[in-house]
Amino acid sequence: MYAIVEMAGQQFKVAKDQKVYVHRLQTEEGKKVTFNNVLLLDDGKNVTIGAPAIDGAAVEAKVIKHLRGDKVIVFHKKRRKGYRKKNGHRQSLTEIVIESIVAKGAKKAKAEAPRKAAPKKEAAPKVEAPKVKAAPKAAAPKKAAAPKAKPAKADDLKKIEGIGPKIATTLIEAGIATFADLAKAKPAKISEIIADVRGNHVTDTWPAQAKLAADGKWDELKKWQDELDGGKA
């Protein structure tokens, strides 16, 4: 029996006890994870195709470890401009093992019967009191508006490994504008803020990097980023 399932933005053909390398997951090592977006199931006799996913089907797996892939060289050059740039990249991956493929649909919860609305009570007729003209109020002197506090200057969050212009703008709009703010934020909260930004982003090291930047420890930050990136190409 095998299934085609979407995991971390990619589609895989998987079977029981198979090891798969997917983009980095937020699940801790040793814990189980379930993927519900099953596109196709084949039990050896029948083939079931989803539209687009199969209702109730799931693939259950266990996280073995988190690792990084092989180094890839990224080279940019512009003709007759004297521009050359060479970088290295190592993709963050997660190794998982498929434990089971569930084809049976889950039972749907019964819909609750609509509640009957209670009859409305008739309101007693209102008796209007005679209107009395109020004496004109003396105009109060206008208070001078207090000067608005200037917002704190935002730091260049793009200096953190893994943060680009789009992510930096999204964090600033969410109130994380300085290295100190980023150092206090939790990786899970950061992932929730940048969920709409396209791509697979690993936020585990961002607060620690931001702490070094906030303390002015740029040499230690550069050394750590070189280790994260596999060293200079």
Side-chain angles (χ1 to χ4, degrees), residues 18-25 27-31 33 61-68 92-98:
Q18 178 182 348
K19 287 186 178 180
V20 184
Y21 294 91
V22 301
H23 288 314
R24 179 69 65 89
L25 302 175
T27 308
E28 298 179 2
E29 295 181 0
K31 292 190 176 181
V33 61
K62 181 180 180 181
V63 176
I64 303 300
K65 62 180 178 180
H66 299 298
L67 66 160
R68 305 187 74 190
S92 299
L93 303 173
T94 299
E95 180 183 354
I96 63 175
V97 60
I98 306 300

Side-chain angles (χ1 to χ4, degrees), residues 39-57:
L39 309 177
L40 183 143
L41 278 175
D42 186 353
D43 59 2
K45 297 180 181 180
N46 299 318
V47 177
T48 305
I49 301 176
I54 300 174
D55 188 21

Side-chain angles (χ1 to χ4, degrees), residues 4-232:
I4 296 178
V5 59
E6 182 179 343
M7 298 185 292
Q10 294 178 301
Q11 294 181 8
F12 295 89
K13 179 182 177 181
V14 298
K16 187 178 179 182
D17 299 329
Q18 178 182 348
K19 287 186 178 180
V20 184
Y21 294 91
V22 301
H23 288 314
R24 179 69 65 89
L25 302 175
Q26 298 295 335
T27 308
E28 298 179 2
E29 295 181 0
K31 292 190 176 181
K32 295 184 179 181
V33 61
T34 302
F35 302 97
N36 296 316
N37 197 10
V38 180
L39 309 177
L40 183 143
L41 278 175
D42 186 353
D43 59 2
K45 297 180 181 180
N46 299 318
V47 177
T48 305
I49 301 176
I54 300 174
D55 188 21
V59 173
E60 297 177 348
K62 181 180 180 181
V63 176
I64 303 300
K65 62 180 178 180
H66 299 298
L67 66 160
R68 305 187 74 190
D70 296 333
K71 189 172 185 180
V72 178
I73 300 300
V74 182
F75 183 74
H76 297 274
K77 178 183 177 181
K78 295 181 180 179
R79 295 180 59 194
R80 297 186 292 273
K81 301 294 182 181
Y83 176 85
R84 293 186 179 186
K85 188 175 181 181
K86 188 177 182 181
N87 286 324
H89 172 74
R90 295 180 65 191
Q91 183 65 38
S92 299
L93 303 173
T94 299
E95 180 183 354
I96 63 175
V97 60
I98 306 300
E99 292 190 337
S100 64
I101 299 175
V102 181
K104 190 176 181 180
K107 295 182 179 179
K108 295 183 179 180
K110 294 181 179 179
E112 294 183 359
R115 297 181 180 178
K116 293 183 179 180
K120 295 183 179 180
K121 294 182 179 179
E122 294 183 358
K126 293 182 179 179
V127 179
E128 295 184 359
K131 294 181 179 180
V132 179
K133 292 184 178 180
K137 293 182 179 179
K142 295 183 179 180
K143 295 183 179 179
K148 295 182 179 180
K150 296 183 179 179
K153 185 178 180 180
D155 293 328
D156 187 4
L157 300 181
K158 298 190 296 296
K159 293 184 178 180
I160 303 302
E161 179 71 20
I163 296 182
K166 180 64 176 178
I167 296 178
T169 303
T170 304
L171 292 174
I172 292 174
E173 291 175 353
I176 302 178
T178 63
F179 294 128
D181 296 336
L182 184 58
K184 296 177 182 179
K186 295 183 179 180
K189 181 63 176 179
I190 300 172
S191 299
E192 182 180 345
I193 294 173
I194 65 172
D196 293 337
V197 181
R198 186 176 181 182
N200 186 51
H201 309 288
V202 181
T203 61
D204 298 347
T205 64
W206 293 2
Q209 292 186 60
K211 182 68 169 65
L212 294 176
D215 295 340
K217 300 179 180 179
W218 297 104
D219 293 338
E220 295 183 23
L221 177 60
K222 186 66 172 63
K223 182 178 179 181
W224 189 5
Q225 290 178 344
D226 289 341
E227 292 176 356
L228 289 175
D229 197 31
K232 293 184 178 179

